Amino acid sequence: MNEIIDKYSTHSKNLGKAEQPSLDLNLEHSKYANLNEQLAEASLRLRQMRGEELEGMSVEELQQLEKNLEAGLHRVLQTKDQQFLEQINELQRKSSQLAEENMQLRNQVSQIPPAGKQTVADTENVIAEDGQSSESVMTALNSGSSQDNDDGSDVSLKLG
């Protein structure tokens, strides 16, 4: 009698253990099926947003889809406009910074003494293109500079 009770106890314990993995497996299968359904539904909505598979939709569903698309388009346009404004502000800031740097460079250039006469004086032994020495060119320039040049003509010198 004890053997039969032991066999019954052992068998009933084994049945309980065998059912436990079966319940876990059923739960996992249920979760998998649920996620698979959600994926199929999301894929369908995505295709519908692209304008595909619209045949089975009612007028109300199509209107709701249109509202959703318009709201999404509005958000996209707002984001794009915001980025354009940020880029414009950044370019304006850079422009003002470059203008300031340009003014500083102009001030620095205006403070540099003119070096035109020094350049001619430094090149005394250079022969001009027409065969004159730099000394004769400098004499001609100095004599020309003593006269009033009110005729507005520019004199240029190109040393070879």
Side-chain angles (χ1 to χ4, degrees), residues 86-102:
E86 289 172 4
Q87 288 177 355
I88 288 171
N89 290 336
E90 179 67 20
L91 290 173
Q92 287 175 341
R93 186 188 63 76
K94 285 182 181 180
S95 173
S96 64
Q97 181 182 4
L98 289 173
E100 183 179 321
E101 287 179 27
N102 192 13

Side-chain angles (χ1 to χ4, degrees), residues 27-40:
L27 283 174
E28 291 299 319
H29 181 66
S30 172
K31 287 180 183 178
Y32 173 76
N34 189 12
L35 289 174
N36 208 13
E37 287 175 21
Q38 289 178 358
L39 177 63

